[in-house]
Amino acid sequence: MELKEIMKEAGIVGAGGAGFPAYAKLADGADTLLINGAECEPLLYTDYIILKRETPMVLAGIKAVLEYAKIPRALLCIKEHTAEKLRWTEGQRLAENIFVKVLPNVYPMGDEISLIYEALGRVVKPGNLPITSGVIVYNVETLYNVAAAVKFGAKVTMKWLTIGGDIEKPIVVRVPVGTPVADLFEKYQIVVGENHEVLDGGPSMGKLIDPDTYVISKTTKGLLILPSNIEAIESKKISVERSVARAETACCQCTRCTDMCPRALLGYPLEPHKMVRTAMGAATVMPQMVISATLCCACGICESLACNQGISPKAVIANYKTLLAKNKLRFVGKEEVEALPERDYRMIPSERWESVLGVLKYDKVAEFVGETTEFPRVEIAFRQHIGAPSVAIVKDGDWVERGDKIAESADGLSLPQYASISGRVMIDEANKIIIDKVNYNV
C-alpha cells in the first residue's frame, strides 16, 4: 500500500488546524516540506513535548513524506523559545535533508501563509494552496501519526494535548479520541474555578466549550482554563449580531486593523477596515463585494490589539465568510503579490500578545504526565475533518475492540474512524458513535 492510502486508511488529519485530511495534501511539484512546530498560540506546549520525547518518530514521518512525494528537503520550523529548550540551532541538520528553521517569537507565526513566507521568503498567491508555491505543510503531530501508521499500522485513536491556563501545573497528556473533557479533568484533578471558562485551542483562536458535555476530537490541541474577565475570553462572548451592529455605528475608519493585519502585510488584498464599513445588507445582495473575507486567518489581532473602538473586524469578517460559504464563493488570486516593507516592524512579539490577551502570567512550560486509555466512555464524531463525514459500519449493541474500524470514509474527501477504547457501541442521532466499556448491556 502506498503512503497516500496508508495515511487515508489510518484516518490522519491535520492535527494542528482545521482537520484537513492529511493524505489529500500529498501532491507532485513540491520542493520543500515545512513541518509546522511553531505552536502559534500562547500556553500550548503539545508540539514541544512531542519533539522533546518523540523526535525519531517525527523524523520517520518526515522521511516517509519526502520519499513518497520526491521532495528534496524538509525544514522543521520552531520558534526561538522552543529551539532554546530543545537546544537546537538555525540550520541544524537533524537527518539527511531535514534541517531546523528557527522562527522569531512573534504572533501569528503558525499561520500557514506566514510560516511559508518566514521560512522561505515566498508569498503564496492569495486563496491558493501552498503546493502552488512548491510547498507542503504538515504539523508535528500529524507526522508523528504518519510514522506510527507506516511503522506499526497504527490508526489515529489517541490525541496529544495541553491542559493549561489558570491551573497550578500545566500538563501534556495523550488520551483516546472522544474522551469526555469532564472525565479527563476528573482523572487529572483539574478544577474549573468560579468565573472561569474553558477553551478548546489557544487563547486567540480557540472556542469556548462546556466542559461537562464536550469531548476530545482529532483536532483538539489544548484545553485552557482561563478567567472570564480577561480579553481572551471576553472577546469570545460578544455575539455576532452585537459585533456587526457595533461595527456599523462605531468604526472611525482609522485603518489600524488593516495596517496590522498579517495577511494584508503579506500583500493580500484584505482590508478589514473596509469590511467593517460594508453594510451587511449590501453584502447579502452582492456577496462578491466581500469575497476577500475568505483570505482572513482569524488571528484576532484586529479585534484584540488594533481596534480602539471595541469593534471586532474578525467577527464581522467571520459573518461574511459564512455568507460566502453559502454562496460557494471564495477568493482565488491569479497574480503574484509581495510582502509590504513595513511588515517586519509590525509583527507582534509573543510576550506582548500574551499581555494583550491577559494570559502572560499563566504561561508556564507544561510537563508530560503520560498516556492512558482508562476511560469508561468515548464519543467518536463522524465529522472530525474537513470534507464528507464518515459513515458508520457498526450498529447498536456491537462489541468493538480498540483499533477496530467503526466508520468508513465517504465518497470524496473523507476519512474512516476507529474505536479508541474497547466497549459496546451505540449510534447517537447518526452523527457520532458512543463506545461504553461499563454500561454496555443492551
Side-chain angles (χ1 to χ4, degrees):
M1 187 183 296
E2 65 176 22
L3 181 62
K4 201 166 189 175
E5 287 303 312
I6 291 173
M7 291 169 65
K8 180 176 182 179
E9 186 64 18
I12 300 173
V13 305
F20 193 80
Y23 76 90
K25 282 190 176 183
L26 288 177
D28 295 332
D31 60 55
T32 307
L33 171 66
L34 293 184
I35 300 88
N36 189 346
E39 212 118 48
C40 185
E41 287 267 38
L43 312 188
L44 299 181
Y45 287 90
T46 308
D47 290 341
Y48 161 67
I49 291 295
I50 294 174
L51 289 173
K52 181 180 177 181
R53 298 181 57 85
E54 300 287 353
T55 297
M57 282 289 285
V58 176
L59 293 178
I62 295 171
K63 291 174 184 177
V65 172
L66 291 181
E67 181 179 344
Y68 175 83
K70 297 180 175 58
I71 304 173
R73 64 167 178 166
L75 300 180
L76 205 169
C77 303
I78 54 175
K79 284 186 179 178
E80 292 171 354
H81 69 84
T82 303
E84 290 171 4
K85 294 182 186 72
L86 295 173
R87 298 183 180 179
W88 289 357
T89 57
E90 168 67 21
Q92 179 178 339
R93 182 180 180 275
L94 298 175
E96 185 178 1
N97 301 323
I98 304 173
F99 304 91
V100 173
K101 179 63 185 178
V102 179
L103 309 170
N105 290 331
V106 299
Y107 178 81
M109 194 46 61
D111 166 44
E112 192 171 64
I113 303 303
S114 296
L115 178 75
I116 292 169
Y117 180 75
E118 198 65 33
L120 300 172
R122 304 175 191 174
V123 180
V124 179
K125 285 187 290 188
N128 286 257
L129 295 174
I131 191 63
T132 61
S133 292
V135 185
I136 293 176
V137 183
Y138 281 128
N139 174 259
V140 167
E141 186 179 357
T142 303
L143 289 163
Y144 172 92
N145 289 334
V146 169
V150 171
K151 292 166 72 74
F152 311 116
K155 316 305 182 187
V156 178
T157 61
M158 300 289 286
K159 190 71 185 77
W160 299 77
L161 68 144
T162 303
I163 303 177
D166 189 12
I167 61 177
E168 183 178 348
K169 187 177 180 181
I171 59 175
V172 170
V173 298
R174 191 165 183 252
V175 297
V177 172
T179 299
V181 171
D183 291 350
L184 181 60
F185 282 2
E186 181 180 2
K187 176 173 180 57
Y188 291 104
Q189 300 179 329
I190 304 293
V191 177
V192 180
E194 187 176 356
N195 298 320
H196 281 63
E197 302 285 350
V198 181
L199 293 177
D200 174 353
S204 314
M205 302 170 70
K207 61 182 179 181
L208 291 167
I209 65 166
D210 179 354
D212 293 329
T213 59
Y214 199 75
V215 302
I216 303 302
S217 74
K218 290 181 180 180
T219 58
T220 303
K221 207 67 182 175
L223 298 169
L224 301 181
I225 299 94
L226 294 169
S228 304
N229 62 351
I230 63 173
E231 169 64 21
I233 300 299
E234 288 185 335
S235 63
K236 294 173 176 56
K237 289 189 169 183
I238 301 174
S239 69
V240 173
E241 294 76 17
R242 184 179 174 188
S243 292
V244 171
R246 183 182 289 178
E248 291 176 343
T249 57
C251 178
C252 66
Q253 285 294 290
C254 69
T255 76
R256 274 173 54 88
C257 54
T258 298
D259 293 340
M260 300 185 73
C261 173
R263 292 286 180 89
L265 289 169
L266 284 172
Y268 277 33
L270 176 63
E271 299 176 288
H273 74 285
K274 290 185 179 179
M275 293 285 175
V276 170
R277 186 172 64 191
T278 303
M280 186 65 196
T284 302
V285 174
M286 191 180 297
Q288 291 89 345
M289 68 190 300
V290 293
I291 195 169
S292 63
T294 60
L295 301 176
C296 171
C297 69
C299 68
I301 288 175
C302 60
E303 172 184 78
S304 296
L305 180 59
C307 186
N308 58 12
Q309 300 283 8
I311 294 169
S312 174
K314 172 183 169 182
V316 174
I317 291 172
N319 214 23
Y320 290 148
K321 283 182 178 180
T322 301
L323 174 66
L324 291 164
K326 288 179 180 177
N327 287 275
K328 298 181 179 179
L329 294 172
R330 69 183 185 91
F331 189 103
V332 180
K334 297 182 179 179
E335 303 296 327
E336 302 284 350
V337 297
E338 294 185 0
L340 276 59
E342 56 267 33
R343 175 184 177 273
D344 290 345
Y345 307 102
R346 292 184 182 170
M347 294 192 292
I348 314 301
S350 297
E351 191 169 302
R352 169 87 190 284
W353 184 240
E354 289 181 287
S355 295
V356 168
L357 296 177
V359 302
L360 180 59
K361 65 181 179 179
Y362 306 121
D363 192 356
K364 295 172 283 187
V365 179
E367 294 183 8
F368 183 65
V369 295
E371 64 176 72
T372 180
T373 58
E374 296 304 312
F375 292 98
R377 174 186 172 99
V378 296
E379 299 179 10
I380 312 292
F382 295 135
R383 187 183 292 279
Q384 295 189 62
H385 53 270
I386 291 174
S390 311
V391 180
I393 58 173
V394 292
K395 60 183 183 298
D396 283 347
D398 285 351
W399 178 270
V400 294
E401 297 292 334
R402 181 185 175 207
D404 286 352
K405 183 184 286 189
I406 56 176
E408 187 56 90
S409 55
D411 293 336
L413 190 66
S414 188
L415 290 171
Q417 308 291 348
Y418 296 88
S420 56
I421 64 171
S422 301
R424 194 74 68 181
V425 163
M426 181 174 70
I427 310 292
D428 181 44
E429 299 177 358
N431 61 18
K432 63 185 175 183
I433 295 174
I434 297 171
I435 304 174
D436 196 325
K437 68 167 61 172
V438 180
N439 301 311
Y440 56 79
N441 293 321
V442 294

